Amino acid sequence: MAAKDSPSNSDRGSSLDPSAEEIRRWGNAAIKAMADYHGSIRERRLYPQTTAHQIRERLERALPAEGSDFETVLATFQDAIVDLSRHNAHPRMFGYVQAPGAAIAAFADLLASMLNANLTAWRSAPAAVELERLTINWITKMLGYDRNSAGLFVSGGSTANLAALAAARRAKASEELLSKGVRSLPQEMRVYVSEETHHSVAKAAALLGIGRENVRIVRVDERFKIRIDDLVAKIDEDLKAGHLPFCVVANAGTVMTGAVDPLAEMSGIAQQFNLWMHVDACYGGFAAMAKSVRPLFHSIDKADSVALDPHKWLYLPVDCGCILYRAPETARATFAHEAEYTRVIAQEAEEAFAFWDYGPELSRRFRALKVWMLLKSVGVRTLSKAIEKDLACARHFEQLVQASDDFEMLAPVELSIFCFRHLPVRMKQALASANENTRRQVNEELDSMNERLLVELQRDGSSYLSNALIHGRFALRGCVMNYRTTSHDMEILLNDLRRVARRLKVKVSV
Ligand SMILES: *Cc1c(COP(=O)(O)O)cnc(C)c1O
């Protein structure tokens, strides 16, 4: 092991430009750490019992004037970072919409950084750009999207939704929008979303100068899907008031309950009112590969744009979002610009291709490599099976809850998200009371009890859930998105909840 001040090291400029031998040594140490990590993931405490202070204590805080050897740096990574992290690859990590991070992608990320390809345009990274175009094409096939569509990888779903809204607005406004800004618009432009739509859409509207107040919130039905009657009513209302309806956003899997909006009906409405239809499929999109839910995605090919997150249900590590456009020239009209320093000089059309014409970013890392390596090494059949198993796990949990006498479901399971709460028998009886005041009081107690149960479960470290608000009530919420999760894990989750609930001293006043 080379000491940090050994002559050989300092002579050669230390770690900045390591020899091939040194790279091999670092690699072996890092790969061993990775193999140990994946090998022991199931046994790990899912969430660390730690504080900000404790983490800081484990990190040397001073800006390093001199370097340290790789082993020392790797040891700090293990002690301070790995040991004090939430382990997203754990089979009972059910919080938020969290992928495990397939191991193959760690190699792809390593090799992508090795090549340091910058995917601005074809001439900057010929092979990498071709690989991204191929991979995007594969994704359109997996989804059943239009054959002439195109798109690109972006940092995540939020950026994908932003790009879609920008393209939608440009498509329905005059060209002046890009030169003169929103003051060139004769009318307020309005976009329609359901109550369950991800907040990144409203954020995109705010950033683009559309304005949050021009995001019309449409009501949902009892299955948390957008209500077509309310959608049409809001469009009519806006037309009468002289506004310009320009876009409707459909959910293909909401983050709260996993609801998929009626895509065929929505595309009909979009056509009728000349609206751009965008589908936010960041959570649910890849479930289109699973036979049991495929019909839900029928008509997704009619959408003008689709936002996806391969860093969710393709099990990849962050970051990797994706935006697809049915007619790529609409995106080009939005994002292309004529600055001299990016002008492509006299090349054939294919080689003149530039990703900067289709999205907001210029420098872009080689995200396609991990998508390509995953698809090449795993294959679509295995991925579809893994997604099908995630769906089955969520349904199994729903059945467990329905068969129990101390839990209840708060929303139907559509994909792999389940929303439920702990409902002890004595409180269930009180809920059946005829007195509305009593029921309200019990519901409030259930809210606070379930909230404490969630915090205790997270601290406990065996299973991890997050929360949702369902009809104004606090819900425990889980999302199965991990090829390691089995139906047995769903049983463990319920047992963990019961074990933790016994520890809580629940005060019941009724
Ligand atoms: C995750 C998610 C987003 C945001 O995506 P990021 O990758 O976190 O930026 C948007 N919409 C839905 C439905 C999502 O699940």
Side-chain angles (χ1 to χ4, degrees):
M1 208 200 286
K4 67 178 165 195
D5 52 1
S6 77
S8 65
N9 234 356
S10 49
D11 283 349
R12 224 197 30 258
S14 181
S15 305
L16 191 56
D17 188 14
S19 66
E21 180 49 43
E22 241 166 335
I23 289 174
R24 209 166 288 125
R25 203 163 46 77
W26 297 357
N28 287 340
I31 298 298
K32 184 183 178 308
M34 181 179 152
D36 292 348
Y37 183 74
H38 282 286
S40 65
I41 193 72
R42 207 170 246 290
E43 284 72 52
R44 279 181 184 271
R45 159 186 283 281
L46 206 161
Y47 199 83
Q49 278 179 325
T50 190
T51 61
H53 179 74
Q54 194 187 357
I55 296 169
R56 287 181 201 143
E57 293 249 287
R58 288 207 203 169
L59 291 167
E60 262 179 63
R61 310 275 292 156
L63 173 68
E66 304 296 336
S68 312
D69 59 69
F70 184 72
E71 285 75 8
T72 308
V73 176
L74 188 63
T76 305
F77 170 72
Q78 300 261 51
D79 300 344
I81 309 297
V82 178
D83 287 354
L84 301 182
S85 284
R86 188 185 76 197
H87 298 297
N88 295 332
H90 191 286
R92 287 190 301 282
M93 170 60 204
F94 298 115
Y96 321 105
V97 183
Q98 182 63 58
I104 187 82
F107 293 101
D109 276 345
L110 177 78
L111 298 172
S113 291
M114 174 200 86
L115 193 60
N116 190 25
N118 187 351
L119 284 74
T120 55
W122 195 94
R123 60 169 178 184
S124 297
V129 166
E130 283 302 321
L131 195 79
E132 178 157 342
R133 297 181 73 181
L134 174 67
T135 312
I136 290 285
N137 182 261
W138 284 351
I139 288 178
T140 65
K141 290 208 164 83
M142 289 151 73
L143 203 63
Y145 199 51
D146 196 282
R147 266 200 297 147
N148 298 317
S149 60
L152 68 163
F153 294 115
V154 291
S155 60
S158 304
T159 309
N161 283 335
L162 176 72
L165 236 57
R169 185 177 63 163
R170 169 64 190 84
K172 304 295 177 184
S174 82
E175 208 175 325
E176 282 198 319
L177 173 71
L178 297 184
S179 50
K180 297 211 160 69
V182 284
R183 75 191 147 93
S184 70
L185 298 173
Q187 296 158 290
E188 303 261 358
M189 294 187 79
R190 297 225 140 158
V191 49
Y192 304 83
V193 306
S194 92
E195 298 170 80
E196 299 288 300
T197 300
H198 192 269
H199 58 74
S200 58
V201 174
K203 186 172 178 174
L207 292 176
L208 290 168
I210 294 165
R212 284 184 202 273
E213 287 180 11
N214 287 315
V215 180
R216 296 281 286 185
I217 314 287
V218 180
R219 285 206 291 267
V220 293
D221 65 16
E222 71 288 351
R223 292 187 63 85
F224 304 95
K225 295 166 187 272
I226 197 167
R227 272 178 47 184
I228 299 293
D229 59 341
D230 194 42
L231 172 62
V232 173
K234 293 219 155 70
I235 295 172
D236 279 339
E237 209 174 278
D238 287 347
L239 284 170
K240 281 204 193 89
H243 303 314
L244 177 65
F246 80 103
C247 179
V248 61
V249 178
N251 294 300
T254 64
V255 280
M256 284 274 210
T257 70
V260 180
D261 286 333
L263 303 181
E265 285 176 75
M266 289 179 82
S267 80
I269 300 296
Q271 257 169 12
Q272 185 186 339
F273 292 99
N274 187 29
L275 310 181
W276 178 286
M277 174 157 152
H278 172 62
V279 179
D280 181 351
C282 289
Y283 154 56
F286 292 103
M289 287 193 288
K291 229 185 183 162
S292 70
V293 294
R294 176 120 202 159
L296 292 171
F297 298 88
H298 179 69
S299 290
I300 198 167
D301 57 315
K302 306 248 166 50
D304 294 289
S305 55
V306 181
L308 293 154
D309 257 341
H311 67 212
K312 286 177 179 165
W313 231 335
L314 276 190
Y315 305 115
L316 291 171
V318 283
D319 61 5
C320 192
C322 174
I323 178 70
L324 302 175
Y325 309 102
R326 192 158 51 89
E329 57 283 6
T330 54
R332 210 183 144 80
T334 312
F335 295 106
H337 66 127
E338 305 305 325
E340 183 59 24
Y341 61 92
T342 54
R343 192 166 62 87
V344 180
I345 303 155
Q347 281 184 351
E348 295 297 316
E350 287 220 298
E351 289 76 26
F353 175 83
F355 277 121
W356 67 62
D357 286 340
Y358 299 91
E361 296 166 315
L362 180 59
S363 290
R364 298 166 60 252
R365 47 197 218 90
F366 194 5
R367 295 186 180 102
L369 191 63
K370 62 185 168 189
V371 183
W372 180 79
M373 277 200 177
L374 175 88
L375 291 170
K376 281 297 274 184
S377 61
V378 177
V380 166
R381 190 169 307 148
T382 298
L383 285 166
S384 313
K385 263 201 224 155
I387 293 171
E388 200 70 83
K389 182 208 51 66
D390 289 344
L391 296 163
C393 280
R395 291 179 201 131
H396 180 58
F397 189 78
E398 184 179 39
Q399 283 161 3
L400 291 174
V401 165
Q402 283 166 348
S404 79
D405 59 5
D406 50 353
F407 288 88
E408 71 168 351
M409 292 303 293
L410 290 179
V413 169
E414 181 131 297
L415 297 175
S416 71
I417 291 176
F418 47 96
C419 294
F420 66 109
R421 67 177 172 178
H422 184 33
L423 176 59
V425 176
R426 61 190 186 288
M427 294 175 88
K428 192 188 289 182
Q429 287 157 355
L431 261 194
S433 150
N435 184 326
E436 197 184 315
N437 262 341
T438 308
R439 288 203 305 272
R440 180 158 30 80
Q441 201 182 337
V442 177
N443 266 320
E444 278 164 15
E445 282 172 11
L446 281 168
D447 284 353
S448 74
M449 178 189 72
N450 277 281
E451 194 168 335
R452 281 189 296 141
L453 182 56
L454 176 72
V455 172
E456 274 303 304
L457 182 83
Q458 292 177 345
R459 271 198 206 128
D460 177 68
S462 168
S463 298
Y464 194 102
L465 293 169
S466 54
N467 57 291
L469 203 62
I470 306 287
H471 297 310
R473 300 265 68 104
F474 184 91
L476 302 168
R477 175 196 163 285
C479 173
V480 190
M481 188 168 272
N482 190 334
Y483 37 80
R484 290 191 178 103
T485 309
T486 65
S487 54
H488 184 52
D489 285 307
M490 309 317 291
E491 289 150 23
I492 296 176
L493 167 62
L494 208 55
N495 288 337
D496 283 342
L497 282 163
R498 289 189 173 121
R499 180 171 50 76
V500 169
R502 279 196 294 274
R503 287 212 297 260
L504 292 179
K505 298 233 162 40
V506 183
K507 277 199 221 88
V508 184
S509 61
V510 287

Coordinates of all heavy atoms in Angstrom, one line a residue, residues 97 155-159 161 198 200 251 253-255 280-284 309 311-312 321, ligand 1:
V97 N -40.9 6.8 -4.6 CA -40.8 5.9 -5.8 C -39.4 5.7 -6.0 O -38.7 6.4 -6.7 CB -41.5 6.7 -7.0 CG1 -41.4 5.7 -8.3 CG2 -42.9 7.1 -6.7
S155 N -32.2 14.8 -16.8 CA -31.8 14.4 -15.4 C -32.9 13.6 -14.7 O -32.6 12.8 -13.9 CB -31.5 15.7 -14.6 OG -32.6 16.5 -14.6
G156 N -34.2 13.9 -15.0 CA -35.2 13.2 -14.3 C -36.6 13.6 -14.8 O -36.7 14.3 -15.8
G157 N -37.6 13.1 -14.2 CA -39.0 13.4 -14.6 C -39.3 14.9 -14.5 O -40.1 15.4 -15.4
S158 N -38.8 15.6 -13.6 CA -39.1 17.0 -13.4 C -38.6 17.8 -14.7 O -39.3 18.6 -15.2 CB -38.5 17.6 -12.2 OG -38.9 16.9 -11.1
T159 N -37.4 17.5 -15.1 CA -36.9 18.1 -16.3 C -37.7 17.7 -17.6 O -37.9 18.4 -18.5 CB -35.4 17.8 -16.5 OG1 -34.7 18.1 -15.3 CG2 -34.8 18.6 -17.6
N161 N -40.8 16.8 -17.7 CA -42.1 17.5 -17.7 C -41.9 19.0 -18.1 O -42.7 19.6 -18.8 CB -42.8 17.5 -16.3 CG -43.4 16.1 -16.0 OD1 -43.8 15.4 -16.9 ND2 -43.6 15.7 -14.8
H198 N -48.3 15.3 -10.3 CA -47.0 15.6 -9.6 C -46.7 17.1 -9.6 O -47.0 17.7 -10.6 CB -45.9 14.8 -10.3 CG -44.6 14.8 -9.5 ND1 -43.6 15.8 -9.6 CD2 -44.1 14.0 -8.5 CE1 -42.6 15.5 -8.8 NE2 -42.9 14.4 -8.2
S200 N -44.2 18.7 -10.0 CA -43.2 19.2 -11.0 C -43.9 19.9 -12.2 O -43.3 20.7 -12.9 CB -42.3 18.1 -11.4 OG -43.0 17.0 -12.0
N251 N -51.9 11.4 -16.2 CA -51.0 10.6 -15.4 C -51.0 9.2 -15.8 O -52.1 8.6 -15.9 CB -51.4 10.7 -13.9 CG -51.3 12.1 -13.4 OD1 -50.2 12.6 -13.3 ND2 -52.4 12.7 -12.9
G253 N -49.9 6.6 -13.9 CA -49.3 6.3 -12.6 C -49.1 7.5 -11.7 O -48.0 8.1 -11.9
T254 N -50.0 7.9 -10.9 CA -49.8 9.0 -10.0 C -48.9 8.5 -8.8 O -48.9 7.3 -8.5 CB -51.1 9.5 -9.4 OG1 -51.7 8.5 -8.5 CG2 -52.1 9.9 -10.4
V255 N -48.2 9.5 -8.2 CA -47.3 9.1 -7.1 C -48.0 8.8 -5.8 O -47.5 8.0 -5.0 CB -46.2 10.2 -6.8 CG1 -45.1 10.1 -7.8 CG2 -46.8 11.5 -6.8
D280 N -47.5 12.1 -18.1 CA -46.5 12.0 -17.1 C -46.5 10.5 -16.7 O -47.3 10.0 -15.9 CB -46.8 12.9 -15.9 CG -45.7 12.7 -14.8 OD1 -44.8 11.8 -15.0 OD2 -45.7 13.5 -13.9
A281 N -45.6 9.7 -17.3 CA -45.5 8.3 -17.0 C -44.2 8.0 -16.2 O -43.6 6.9 -16.3 CB -45.5 7.5 -18.3
C282 N -43.7 9.0 -15.5 CA -42.5 8.9 -14.7 C -42.5 7.7 -13.8 O -41.5 6.9 -13.8 CB -42.1 10.1 -14.0 SG -41.7 11.5 -15.1
Y283 N -43.6 7.5 -13.1 CA -43.6 6.3 -12.2 C -44.1 5.1 -13.0 O -43.4 4.1 -12.9 CB -44.6 6.6 -11.0 CG -45.2 5.4 -10.4 CD1 -44.4 4.3 -9.9 CD2 -46.5 5.2 -10.3 CE1 -44.9 3.2 -9.4 CE2 -47.1 4.0 -9.8 CZ -46.3 3.0 -9.4 OH -46.8 1.9 -8.9
G284 N -45.2 5.2 -13.7 CA -45.8 4.0 -14.2 C -45.4 3.5 -15.6 O -45.7 2.3 -15.9
D309 N -39.1 7.9 -16.3 CA -38.0 7.9 -15.5 C -37.4 6.5 -15.5 O -37.7 5.6 -14.6 CB -38.4 8.3 -14.0 CG -38.0 9.7 -13.7 OD1 -37.1 10.3 -14.3 OD2 -38.6 10.2 -12.7
H311 N -34.8 5.8 -14.1 CA -34.3 5.6 -12.7 C -35.4 5.2 -11.7 O -35.2 5.2 -10.5 CB -33.4 6.8 -12.3 CG -34.2 8.1 -12.0 ND1 -33.5 9.3 -12.2 CD2 -35.4 8.4 -11.6 CE1 -34.4 10.3 -11.9 NE2 -35.5 9.8 -11.5
K312 N -36.5 4.9 -12.3 CA -37.6 4.3 -11.4 C -37.8 2.8 -11.8 O -37.0 2.0 -11.4 CB -38.8 5.2 -11.4 CG -38.6 6.5 -10.6 CD -39.8 7.4 -10.7 CE -39.6 8.6 -9.9 NZ -40.5 9.7 -10.2
G321 N -33.8 10.5 -16.5 CA -35.1 10.7 -16.9 C -35.2 10.7 -18.5 O -34.1 10.5 -19.1
Ligands
LIG1 C1 -40.8 10.9 -9.8 C2 -41.9 11.6 -10.6 C3 -41.7 12.9 -11.1 C4 -40.5 13.6 -10.9 O1 -39.4 13.0 -11.4 P1 -37.9 13.2 -10.9 O2 -37.1 12.2 -11.6 O3 -37.9 13.0 -9.4 O4 -37.5 14.6 -11.2 C5 -42.8 13.4 -11.8 N1 -43.9 12.7 -12.0 C6 -44.1 11.5 -11.5 C7 -45.4 10.8 -11.7 C8 -43.1 10.9 -10.7 O5 -43.3 9.7 -10.3

